[in-house]
Amino acid sequence: MSDTATERLFVVVEREFPYPPEKLWRALTQPHLIEEWLMKNDFKPVVNHRFTLTADWGAVDCRVEIVEPDKRLSYRWDTKDLESVVTWTLTPTETGTHLRMEQTGFRPDQQSYYRGAMAGWSRFLSALDDVLSRID
């Protein structure tokens, strides 16, 4: 997807989960749970908190931008020459929660990052589903 006004690409992944927003919020904000589905981290759900996500391939420098418990979480996601923003939006439904993840900020010349994010977020959300099925 792209936004022609700013010439930036973005990735959106949406999924329905049969769990309340509070349960998803825990998995999105508790470091030991984040590590299970995303990466090692030193995350804190505090605006302006700087944290690092680390994996075998390297690290992502992040800074929390928005914290609205059980509703919305946003943070900067900067690695190498990619400066982007990841935003999680949780919407209660009759059967659980609709989760929307949007990563914005890919320049048109960053196709490898864009393709990686398209594939990566789908895998991460599958792993998130596995974590959610195991926690109370």
Short mmCIF file of all heavy atoms in Angstrom, two decimals, residues 38-87:
data_model
loop_
_atom_site.label_atom_id
_atom_site.label_comp_id
_atom_site.label_asym_id
_atom_site.label_seq_id
_atom_site.Cartn_x
_atom_site.Cartn_y
_atom_site.Cartn_z
N LEU A 38 7.56 -11.70 19.35
CA LEU A 38 8.22 -10.69 18.51
C LEU A 38 9.73 -10.78 18.63
O LEU A 38 10.38 -11.41 17.81
CB LEU A 38 7.70 -9.30 18.86
CG LEU A 38 8.17 -8.13 18.02
CD1 LEU A 38 7.78 -8.29 16.55
CD2 LEU A 38 7.59 -6.82 18.56
N MET A 39 10.29 -10.15 19.66
CA MET A 39 11.74 -10.15 19.85
C MET A 39 12.07 -9.88 21.31
O MET A 39 11.23 -9.39 22.07
CB MET A 39 12.40 -9.04 19.01
CG MET A 39 12.40 -9.27 17.53
SD MET A 39 13.21 -7.88 16.68
CE MET A 39 11.91 -7.39 15.55
N LYS A 40 13.33 -10.14 21.68
CA LYS A 40 13.83 -9.73 23.00
C LYS A 40 13.68 -8.22 23.08
O LYS A 40 13.83 -7.52 22.07
CB LYS A 40 15.28 -10.15 23.19
CG LYS A 40 15.47 -11.64 23.25
CD LYS A 40 16.93 -11.99 23.41
CE LYS A 40 17.09 -13.50 23.39
NZ LYS A 40 18.49 -13.90 23.44
N ASN A 41 13.47 -7.70 24.31
CA ASN A 41 13.17 -6.28 24.42
C ASN A 41 13.32 -5.79 25.85
O ASN A 41 13.42 -6.58 26.78
CB ASN A 41 11.73 -6.04 23.95
CG ASN A 41 10.72 -6.70 24.86
OD1 ASN A 41 10.24 -6.09 25.80
ND2 ASN A 41 10.41 -7.98 24.60
N ASP A 42 13.30 -4.46 25.98
CA ASP A 42 13.25 -3.82 27.29
C ASP A 42 12.11 -2.79 27.28
O ASP A 42 12.24 -1.66 27.71
CB ASP A 42 14.60 -3.19 27.65
CG ASP A 42 15.11 -2.19 26.62
OD1 ASP A 42 14.61 -2.19 25.47
OD2 ASP A 42 16.01 -1.41 26.96
N PHE A 43 10.98 -3.23 26.76
CA PHE A 43 9.81 -2.38 26.57
C PHE A 43 9.14 -1.99 27.90
O PHE A 43 9.10 -2.79 28.84
CB PHE A 43 8.77 -3.12 25.71
CG PHE A 43 7.52 -2.33 25.48
CD1 PHE A 43 7.46 -1.37 24.50
CD2 PHE A 43 6.40 -2.54 26.28
CE1 PHE A 43 6.30 -0.63 24.29
CE2 PHE A 43 5.24 -1.81 26.09
CZ PHE A 43 5.19 -0.85 25.10
N LYS A 44 8.62 -0.77 27.96
CA LYS A 44 7.76 -0.30 29.04
C LYS A 44 6.67 0.53 28.37
O LYS A 44 6.98 1.37 27.52
CB LYS A 44 8.52 0.57 30.04
CG LYS A 44 9.52 -0.18 30.87
CD LYS A 44 10.22 0.75 31.84
CE LYS A 44 11.33 0.00 32.55
NZ LYS A 44 12.13 0.89 33.39
N PRO A 45 5.40 0.33 28.74
CA PRO A 45 4.32 1.10 28.12
C PRO A 45 4.21 2.51 28.71
O PRO A 45 3.23 2.88 29.35
CB PRO A 45 3.08 0.25 28.42
CG PRO A 45 3.41 -0.44 29.71
CD PRO A 45 4.90 -0.69 29.65
N VAL A 46 5.27 3.29 28.46
CA VAL A 46 5.36 4.66 28.98
C VAL A 46 5.76 5.56 27.81
O VAL A 46 6.76 5.30 27.14
CB VAL A 46 6.42 4.74 30.10
CG1 VAL A 46 6.60 6.18 30.57
CG2 VAL A 46 6.06 3.82 31.26
N VAL A 47 4.99 6.61 27.58
CA VAL A 47 5.28 7.53 26.48
C VAL A 47 6.70 8.07 26.62
O VAL A 47 7.14 8.43 27.71
CB VAL A 47 4.24 8.67 26.43
CG1 VAL A 47 4.63 9.72 25.40
CG2 VAL A 47 2.86 8.11 26.10
N ASN A 48 7.42 8.08 25.51
CA ASN A 48 8.81 8.53 25.36
C ASN A 48 9.85 7.52 25.86
O ASN A 48 11.04 7.79 25.76
CB ASN A 48 9.05 9.90 25.99
CG ASN A 48 8.39 10.99 25.20
OD1 ASN A 48 8.35 10.95 23.97
ND2 ASN A 48 7.81 11.97 25.89
N HIS A 49 9.40 6.38 26.39
CA HIS A 49 10.36 5.36 26.80
C HIS A 49 11.08 4.83 25.56
O HIS A 49 10.45 4.47 24.57
CB HIS A 49 9.66 4.20 27.52
CG HIS A 49 10.56 3.04 27.81
ND1 HIS A 49 11.59 3.11 28.72
CD2 HIS A 49 10.61 1.79 27.28
CE1 HIS A 49 12.23 1.95 28.74
NE2 HIS A 49 11.65 1.13 27.87
N ARG A 50 12.40 4.81 25.63
CA ARG A 50 13.20 4.25 24.53
C ARG A 50 13.52 2.80 24.87
O ARG A 50 13.90 2.49 26.00
CB ARG A 50 14.49 5.05 24.36
CG ARG A 50 14.22 6.46 23.86
CD ARG A 50 15.51 7.21 23.60
NE ARG A 50 15.23 8.56 23.17
CZ ARG A 50 14.92 8.92 21.93
NH1 ARG A 50 14.85 8.01 20.98
NH2 ARG A 50 14.67 10.19 21.63
N PHE A 51 13.35 1.93 23.87
CA PHE A 51 13.61 0.52 24.09
C PHE A 51 14.20 -0.08 22.82
O PHE A 51 14.20 0.54 21.76
CB PHE A 51 12.34 -0.23 24.53
CG PHE A 51 11.24 -0.29 23.50
CD1 PHE A 51 11.03 -1.42 22.73
CD2 PHE A 51 10.39 0.80 23.32
CE1 PHE A 51 10.00 -1.48 21.81
CE2 PHE A 51 9.35 0.75 22.40
CZ PHE A 51 9.16 -0.39 21.63
N THR A 52 14.74 -1.27 22.98
CA THR A 52 15.37 -1.96 21.86
C THR A 52 14.74 -3.33 21.69
O THR A 52 14.52 -4.04 22.68
CB THR A 52 16.88 -2.11 22.10
OG1 THR A 52 17.45 -0.82 22.34
CG2 THR A 52 17.57 -2.75 20.91
N LEU A 53 14.44 -3.66 20.45
CA LEU A 53 14.02 -5.01 20.08
C LEU A 53 15.25 -5.66 19.46
O LEU A 53 15.89 -5.06 18.59
CB LEU A 53 12.88 -4.97 19.07
CG LEU A 53 11.57 -4.34 19.54
CD1 LEU A 53 10.63 -4.11 18.37
CD2 LEU A 53 10.91 -5.23 20.58
N THR A 54 15.60 -6.88 19.90
CA THR A 54 16.79 -7.52 19.36
C THR A 54 16.47 -8.93 18.86
O THR A 54 15.66 -9.64 19.43
CB THR A 54 17.92 -7.61 20.40
OG1 THR A 54 17.45 -8.29 21.56
CG2 THR A 54 18.42 -6.24 20.80
N ALA A 55 17.14 -9.26 17.75
CA ALA A 55 17.00 -10.57 17.13
C ALA A 55 18.37 -10.99 16.62
O ALA A 55 19.33 -10.21 16.69
CB ALA A 55 16.00 -10.50 15.98
N ASP A 56 18.47 -12.19 16.09
CA ASP A 56 19.74 -12.68 15.56
C ASP A 56 20.30 -11.77 14.47
O ASP A 56 21.51 -11.62 14.34
CB ASP A 56 19.58 -14.09 14.99
CG ASP A 56 19.25 -15.11 16.06
OD1 ASP A 56 19.48 -14.83 17.26
OD2 ASP A 56 18.74 -16.19 15.71
N TRP A 57 19.43 -11.16 13.68
CA TRP A 57 19.85 -10.33 12.56
C TRP A 57 20.23 -8.90 12.95
O TRP A 57 20.76 -8.16 12.15
CB TRP A 57 18.77 -10.29 11.48
CG TRP A 57 17.41 -9.92 12.03
CD1 TRP A 57 16.41 -10.76 12.38
CD2 TRP A 57 16.92 -8.60 12.27
NE1 TRP A 57 15.33 -10.07 12.85
CE2 TRP A 57 15.61 -8.74 12.78
CE3 TRP A 57 17.45 -7.31 12.11
CZ2 TRP A 57 14.82 -7.64 13.14
CZ3 TRP A 57 16.66 -6.22 12.47
CH2 TRP A 57 15.37 -6.38 12.97
N GLY A 58 19.92 -8.48 14.20
CA GLY A 58 20.27 -7.13 14.62
C GLY A 58 19.26 -6.56 15.60
O GLY A 58 18.58 -7.30 16.30
N ALA A 59 19.19 -5.23 15.61
CA ALA A 59 18.35 -4.55 16.59
C ALA A 59 17.49 -3.48 15.95
O ALA A 59 17.81 -2.96 14.88
CB ALA A 59 19.22 -3.94 17.68
N VAL A 60 16.41 -3.17 16.65
CA VAL A 60 15.50 -2.09 16.25
C VAL A 60 15.45 -1.12 17.42
O VAL A 60 15.15 -1.51 18.55
CB VAL A 60 14.08 -2.63 15.95
CG1 VAL A 60 13.16 -1.49 15.52
CG2 VAL A 60 14.11 -3.72 14.90
N ASP A 61 15.76 0.15 17.15
CA ASP A 61 15.66 1.19 18.17
C ASP A 61 14.24 1.74 18.14
O ASP A 61 13.74 2.12 17.07
CB ASP A 61 16.66 2.31 17.90
CG ASP A 61 18.09 1.83 18.02
OD1 ASP A 61 18.37 1.07 18.97
OD2 ASP A 61 18.92 2.20 17.18
N CYS A 62 13.61 1.80 19.30
CA CYS A 62 12.21 2.21 19.36
C CYS A 62 12.00 3.28 20.43
O CYS A 62 12.80 3.41 21.36
CB CYS A 62 11.33 1.01 19.68
SG CYS A 62 11.46 -0.35 18.50
N ARG A 63 10.89 4.00 20.29
CA ARG A 63 10.47 4.97 21.30
C ARG A 63 8.96 4.98 21.33
O ARG A 63 8.30 5.12 20.29
CB ARG A 63 10.99 6.37 21.00
CG ARG A 63 10.59 7.39 22.07
CD ARG A 63 11.24 8.75 21.81
NE ARG A 63 11.14 9.15 20.43
CZ ARG A 63 10.21 10.00 19.96
NH1 ARG A 63 9.34 10.54 20.75
NH2 ARG A 63 10.19 10.30 18.67
N VAL A 64 8.40 4.82 22.52
CA VAL A 64 6.94 4.78 22.67
C VAL A 64 6.36 6.17 22.39
O VAL A 64 6.83 7.17 22.93
CB VAL A 64 6.55 4.31 24.09
CG1 VAL A 64 5.04 4.32 24.27
CG2 VAL A 64 7.13 2.93 24.38
N GLU A 65 5.34 6.20 21.53
CA GLU A 65 4.69 7.45 21.15
C GLU A 65 3.31 7.61 21.80
O GLU A 65 2.96 8.68 22.24
CB GLU A 65 4.52 7.49 19.64
CG GLU A 65 5.81 7.31 18.87
CD GLU A 65 6.32 8.59 18.28
OE1 GLU A 65 5.54 9.26 17.60
OE2 GLU A 65 7.50 8.88 18.50
N ILE A 66 2.51 6.53 21.79
CA ILE A 66 1.13 6.59 22.29
C ILE A 66 0.86 5.37 23.15
O ILE A 66 1.18 4.24 22.75
CB ILE A 66 0.12 6.63 21.12
CG1 ILE A 66 0.31 7.88 20.28
CG2 ILE A 66 -1.32 6.55 21.65
CD1 ILE A 66 -0.48 7.86 18.97
N VAL A 67 0.24 5.59 24.31
CA VAL A 67 -0.21 4.50 25.17
C VAL A 67 -1.63 4.81 25.61
O VAL A 67 -1.85 5.75 26.37
CB VAL A 67 0.70 4.34 26.42
CG1 VAL A 67 0.15 3.26 27.34
CG2 VAL A 67 2.13 4.05 26.03
N GLU A 68 -2.58 4.07 25.09
CA GLU A 68 -3.98 4.15 25.50
C GLU A 68 -4.37 2.73 25.89
O GLU A 68 -4.72 1.93 25.02
CB GLU A 68 -4.87 4.66 24.37
CG GLU A 68 -4.58 6.10 23.96
CD GLU A 68 -5.41 6.53 22.75
OE1 GLU A 68 -6.37 5.84 22.37
OE2 GLU A 68 -5.07 7.59 22.19
N PRO A 69 -4.24 2.38 27.18
CA PRO A 69 -4.43 0.99 27.60
C PRO A 69 -5.68 0.33 27.02
O PRO A 69 -6.77 0.91 27.02
CB PRO A 69 -4.51 1.10 29.13
CG PRO A 69 -3.65 2.29 29.44
CD PRO A 69 -3.95 3.25 28.32
N ASP A 70 -5.46 -0.87 26.53
CA ASP A 70 -6.50 -1.73 25.94
C ASP A 70 -7.09 -1.16 24.65
O ASP A 70 -8.05 -1.72 24.13
CB ASP A 70 -7.62 -2.01 26.95
CG ASP A 70 -7.11 -2.61 28.24
OD1 ASP A 70 -6.11 -3.36 28.18
OD2 ASP A 70 -7.68 -2.32 29.30
N LYS A 71 -6.51 -0.07 24.12
CA LYS A 71 -7.06 0.56 22.91
C LYS A 71 -6.02 0.79 21.82
O LYS A 71 -6.21 0.38 20.68
CB LYS A 71 -7.72 1.90 23.24
CG LYS A 71 -8.93 1.77 24.12
CD LYS A 71 -9.52 3.12 24.42
CE LYS A 71 -10.70 2.94 25.38
NZ LYS A 71 -11.21 4.21 25.83
N ARG A 72 -4.92 1.48 22.17
CA ARG A 72 -3.96 1.85 21.13
C ARG A 72 -2.57 1.99 21.72
O ARG A 72 -2.38 2.54 22.80
CB ARG A 72 -4.39 3.16 20.48
CG ARG A 72 -3.65 3.46 19.20
CD ARG A 72 -4.37 4.50 18.35
NE ARG A 72 -4.47 5.76 19.05
CZ ARG A 72 -4.05 6.92 18.56
NH1 ARG A 72 -3.56 6.99 17.35
NH2 ARG A 72 -4.17 8.02 19.26
N LEU A 73 -1.59 1.50 20.93
CA LEU A 73 -0.19 1.58 21.28
C LEU A 73 0.58 1.92 20.02
O LEU A 73 0.33 1.34 18.96
CB LEU A 73 0.30 0.22 21.82
CG LEU A 73 1.78 0.08 22.12
CD1 LEU A 73 2.18 0.98 23.29
CD2 LEU A 73 2.12 -1.38 22.42
N SER A 74 1.49 2.88 20.12
CA SER A 74 2.27 3.27 18.95
C SER A 74 3.71 3.53 19.38
O SER A 74 3.95 4.09 20.45
CB SER A 74 1.66 4.52 18.32
OG SER A 74 2.34 4.87 17.14
N TYR A 75 4.64 3.09 18.51
CA TYR A 75 6.05 3.38 18.78
C TYR A 75 6.83 3.53 17.48
O TYR A 75 6.48 2.98 16.45
CB TYR A 75 6.70 2.31 19.67
CG TYR A 75 6.36 0.87 19.38
CD1 TYR A 75 7.02 0.16 18.38
CD2 TYR A 75 5.40 0.21 20.14
CE1 TYR A 75 6.73 -1.18 18.14
CE2 TYR A 75 5.11 -1.13 19.91
CZ TYR A 75 5.77 -1.82 18.91
OH TYR A 75 5.48 -3.14 18.68
N ARG A 76 7.89 4.33 17.58
CA ARG A 76 8.83 4.47 16.46
C ARG A 76 9.58 3.16 16.34
O ARG A 76 9.86 2.50 17.34
CB ARG A 76 9.80 5.62 16.71
CG ARG A 76 9.09 6.96 16.76
CD ARG A 76 9.98 8.13 16.42
NE ARG A 76 10.68 7.97 15.16
CZ ARG A 76 10.16 8.17 13.94
NH1 ARG A 76 8.91 8.52 13.81
NH2 ARG A 76 10.90 8.02 12.86
N TRP A 77 9.92 2.81 15.10
CA TRP A 77 10.60 1.54 14.80
C TRP A 77 11.70 1.90 13.82
O TRP A 77 11.46 2.05 12.64
CB TRP A 77 9.57 0.60 14.18
CG TRP A 77 10.05 -0.71 13.66
CD1 TRP A 77 10.78 -0.92 12.53
CD2 TRP A 77 9.77 -2.01 14.20
NE1 TRP A 77 10.98 -2.26 12.34
CE2 TRP A 77 10.36 -2.95 13.36
CE3 TRP A 77 9.06 -2.45 15.31
CZ2 TRP A 77 10.27 -4.32 13.59
CZ3 TRP A 77 8.99 -3.81 15.54
CH2 TRP A 77 9.59 -4.73 14.69
N ASP A 78 12.90 2.12 14.33
CA ASP A 78 14.01 2.58 13.49
C ASP A 78 15.13 1.55 13.48
O ASP A 78 15.62 1.14 14.53
CB ASP A 78 14.55 3.92 14.01
CG ASP A 78 13.51 5.02 14.02
OD1 ASP A 78 12.50 4.91 13.29
OD2 ASP A 78 13.69 6.00 14.76
N THR A 79 15.51 1.17 12.27
CA THR A 79 16.62 0.22 12.12
C THR A 79 17.36 0.55 10.83
O THR A 79 16.74 0.84 9.81
CB THR A 79 16.12 -1.23 12.13
OG1 THR A 79 17.26 -2.10 12.07
CG2 THR A 79 15.19 -1.55 11.00
N LYS A 80 18.66 0.55 10.90
CA LYS A 80 19.50 0.89 9.76
C LYS A 80 19.00 2.22 9.17
O LYS A 80 19.03 3.22 9.85
CB LYS A 80 19.54 -0.26 8.77
CG LYS A 80 20.10 -1.52 9.41
CD LYS A 80 20.09 -2.69 8.50
CE LYS A 80 20.60 -3.90 9.28
NZ LYS A 80 20.28 -5.14 8.66
N ASP A 81 18.53 2.23 7.91
CA ASP A 81 18.06 3.50 7.34
C ASP A 81 16.53 3.56 7.24
O ASP A 81 15.98 4.39 6.54
CB ASP A 81 18.70 3.76 5.98
CG ASP A 81 18.34 2.69 4.95
OD1 ASP A 81 18.00 1.57 5.35
OD2 ASP A 81 18.41 2.98 3.75
N LEU A 82 15.82 2.70 7.97
CA LEU A 82 14.36 2.72 7.99
C LEU A 82 13.89 3.44 9.25
O LEU A 82 14.24 3.06 10.36
CB LEU A 82 13.79 1.30 7.98
CG LEU A 82 12.28 1.20 8.19
CD1 LEU A 82 11.52 1.86 7.03
CD2 LEU A 82 11.86 -0.25 8.37
N GLU A 83 13.11 4.49 9.05
CA GLU A 83 12.47 5.19 10.16
C GLU A 83 10.97 5.05 9.95
O GLU A 83 10.42 5.60 9.00
CB GLU A 83 12.88 6.66 10.18
CG GLU A 83 14.35 6.85 10.46
CD GLU A 83 14.78 8.30 10.46
OE1 GLU A 83 13.92 9.19 10.24
OE2 GLU A 83 15.96 8.55 10.69
N SER A 84 10.34 4.28 10.84
CA SER A 84 8.91 4.00 10.67
C SER A 84 8.19 4.08 12.01
O SER A 84 8.81 4.28 13.05
CB SER A 84 8.73 2.62 10.03
OG SER A 84 9.21 1.61 10.89
N VAL A 85 6.87 3.92 11.94
CA VAL A 85 6.04 3.93 13.14
C VAL A 85 5.11 2.73 13.08
O VAL A 85 4.49 2.47 12.05
CB VAL A 85 5.21 5.24 13.25
CG1 VAL A 85 4.26 5.18 14.44
CG2 VAL A 85 6.12 6.45 13.34
N VAL A 86 5.05 1.99 14.19
CA VAL A 86 4.15 0.85 14.32
C VAL A 86 3.01 1.27 15.26
O VAL A 86 3.28 1.77 16.35
CB VAL A 86 4.88 -0.38 14.88
CG1 VAL A 86 3.90 -1.50 15.21
CG2 VAL A 86 5.95 -0.86 13.91
N THR A 87 1.78 1.07 14.80
CA THR A 87 0.62 1.42 15.62
C THR A 87 -0.31 0.21 15.73
O THR A 87 -0.67 -0.39 14.71
CB THR A 87 -0.15 2.61 15.02
OG1 THR A 87 0.74 3.73 14.93
CG2 THR A 87 -1.35 2.99 15.88
#
